[in-house]
Amino acid sequence: MPDSKKELSPSKVLLFGTIIKNPILVQVIGLCPAVAASSSLTVALLLSFVTTVLLIICEVFASAVLKPLSSWFRVAVYMIMGLLFICPLMYILDEAGFAVVNNAGIYLPLMAANSVVALRCEKFAVKRNAFLSFYDALATGVGVSAVLILSGFVRELLGSGTVAGRAVFDFAPLPALTMPFGGFVVLGFSAAILKWFISAFLSEYSHDMPFKIKKAQKRRPQRVEEKAARPVLTAEKAVTPAAIKAEASDTAKAVIPDIPKGRESFADVLYNSMSADMFTAEDSFDDILAGISAESGGADNPPVTREDFSVSTDGNGDAPREEAERVIIPVDLDLVEEQEISRAIASGDEGGSAD
Amino acid sequence: MAVKTVIKPDRQERSFYFDMLAILVLPAVMAWYYYGGAALRLVAICMLTGTLSETAGAFFMRCPRCLRDCNSLFIGAATALMLPADFPPLAAAAGVAFAVLAVKMPFGGTDFSPFTPVAAGYSFMCLCWPDKIFSYPVLDTGTGYVKGSSLANMLSVNTSIRPNTINVFDILTGSVPGAAGVTCIIVLLGSAVCLAFVRRRALINSAGFVAACAVMALLFPRVYSENARLVSLLMELCSGLLMFSAVFIVTDPATSPERPLHRFIYGAFAGAVCMLLRYFGKFEEGVFFAVLMANAAWPPLQERLLRREKKRALRKKVKQRARASSARGREAAENA
């Protein structure tokens, strides 16, 4: 969502919920129906309808009624509301003889426990009024629906050669796309296209995406002639914003880009590509800063400001941000580990089976 | 704390994939010998598709295009040689395009991909057209192709192979139904020897892979004969894509570890998974899935191995220091 609660407007809520923070392609939540179930257009349409209606009901109800309750109880209420909506719907569709209920399989009843609904209610609806919650639910529903319908259309067309059950090709061009594997491939490319779209046409919002995509690292780093000395912040050093700033300003430009990093696992690359604020998207940087400032105080603890976290300022708004992404605080784990082992040996805890 | 690193300059200027492509000429010749121009046509189509896909991917995804390293050509040639000679060219092209456009380019190119593109492309084709990819033509049937039963298929049926079912000489020379360029074991062994001359380190992966497969074949034979274990060893190693993968797929430098021991473990892990997939999998061949699983599982495994090795070295160092200090203390006490 936008950086500050004051800036929230219905249009921004719509834009953010639909595109900038698309639940499936950007926040990577609610993948189960998108990957496993939306292998045909009709199922995707049904799931989209259910998700959107459920989101609107739950978010508006949560915003209007559930604010005083504790969070663990609210999550149970969302599930009960989902069941209250989906059970009659399934019954009606089943009685009417729609085969799409069978095609959706277990994923239609599972929508009662949809993670998108619970997350949006907890992250947004219980903190805002019912009006904005309605807009957010609508935007999130449209975002989810767009992805589900696109995925269902592409997968059905290429996987089965049909669109909504009507034959388009005489053969199935790529039958594997109807499998969950095909869902992941389609979603991956859709996410890449969305990222390109935001960078190209909505560049002013590209920094508001919940995570930054880092440049991939070479699996086998090239051997270079000389590696620069790598400064290390040891455990003894006090880690203050000023120290981080000093360390970063010295090393960010000159040293860190030149050091070929060791081989990272794919999971590491994926994890590193997501910043922590992906999971606390609603807490803006200023909110966090305000919280830290409230805790600090007195001569020993001066209030922390935004400038304490900036690396360098050259007048350009983008440059410090890009630089800050490259800042790494290496900690000498070997030294710490060696000290721990030394202490253990000195205290006699080290067993004889070390080797 | 400065990090001192001893760095050896790269002596090999030539691309790894250029060498592999040169070695692939041997299986390609055998494919032409057994299946005629159809096999070579498939190879040419796949190589062309690989090159075009890389060019298109570099244009649309803004990745660096590097045709000089011959990686896309290698992907095309290796994929084509793993297919039956009568495999539809369009489907083969789709598999190569998937390998380049969905597995190689989005991650940044040859050195960045976490998965082996050839294995991914073959898996894609396997999931899309399982009936065609495991339908091998019989040799010497005159005009047209007749479906034959491959060694891997016979092994998967469990009770098909009996004494004297197949001549060993036929197996070694590749006179059995199978993919175009993978059946002739003698040629594949020759390729391994060539690889040993140009890229010796890469063969460590192959050694681990073949060793694990051999152990599994000996322990759990799927044939019924007098010398079941030995026959099982021969059949398992010579069937399917196993030997071809050991030489050309498992040795992929982009996904291989650096250290020799790690390379061996990586290969052994892939081999063990491959045999498990053969025993319990849906398809008669599981090498490509095994390689992909090894690609996915290896980085965290390597991290643990490295951490463990580091801890051992540290403990050793600390113990040596403690011993030295205690010896000095004893000497001082004796002197006193």
Side-chain angles (χ1 to χ4, degrees), chain B residues 248-304:
Chain B
F248 294 104
I249 311 298
V250 183
T251 50
D252 182 27
T255 50
S256 293
E258 281 286 345
R259 298 185 186 184
L261 178 66
H262 290 183
R263 279 173 174 266
F264 189 86
I265 297 171
Y266 169 79
F269 180 82
V273 176
C274 164
M275 292 304 287
L276 286 174
L277 287 172
R278 277 188 169 194
Y279 289 141
F280 305 110
K282 182 184 172 188
F283 303 114
E284 63 185 54
E285 187 54 84
V287 175
F288 29 87
F289 291 125
V291 171
L292 291 179
M293 285 166 85
N295 291 159
W298 179 251
L301 197 65
Q302 187 190 29
E303 207 170 285
R304 290 189 74 86

Side-chain angles (χ1 to χ4, degrees), chain A residues 29 33 73 76 187 195 225 245 248-249:
Chain A
I29 50 176
F73 188 72
L187 286 190
K195 169 76 180 168
E225 275 303 316
K245 182 185 170 185
S249 60

Side-chain angles (χ1 to χ4, degrees), chain A residues 195 205-215 269-270 272-275 277 321 325:
Chain A
K195 169 76 180 168
Y205 294 110
S206 61
H207 289 317
D208 291 312
M209 288 182 80
F211 63 89
K212 305 285 175 286
I213 296 173
K214 279 170 58 176
K215 194 182 175 188
V269 173
L270 194 68
N272 289 337
S273 71
M274 302 173 187
S275 63
D277 66 349
R321 187 159 192 142
E325 284 167 23

Side-chain angles (χ1 to χ4, degrees), chain A residues 67-128:
Chain A
K67 278 179 186 171
L69 301 178
S70 58
S71 62
W72 65 268
F73 188 72
R74 282 198 300 259
V75 176
V77 175
Y78 304 144
M79 285 198 185
I80 292 167
M81 287 169 66
L83 283 173
L84 286 175
F85 173 67
I86 284 174
C87 286
L89 180 77
M90 280 187 68
Y91 179 76
I92 293 165
L93 288 175
D94 209 21
E95 284 295 307
F98 285 108
V100 70
V101 178
N102 295 329
N103 294 341
I106 189 71
Y107 298 102
L108 184 58
L110 274 179
M111 295 300 278
N114 196 342
S115 56
V116 180
V117 176
L119 200 75
R120 293 315 301 166
C121 288
E122 280 300 299
K123 286 277 177 187
F124 192 94
V126 293
K127 295 174 186 172
R128 270 87 176 184

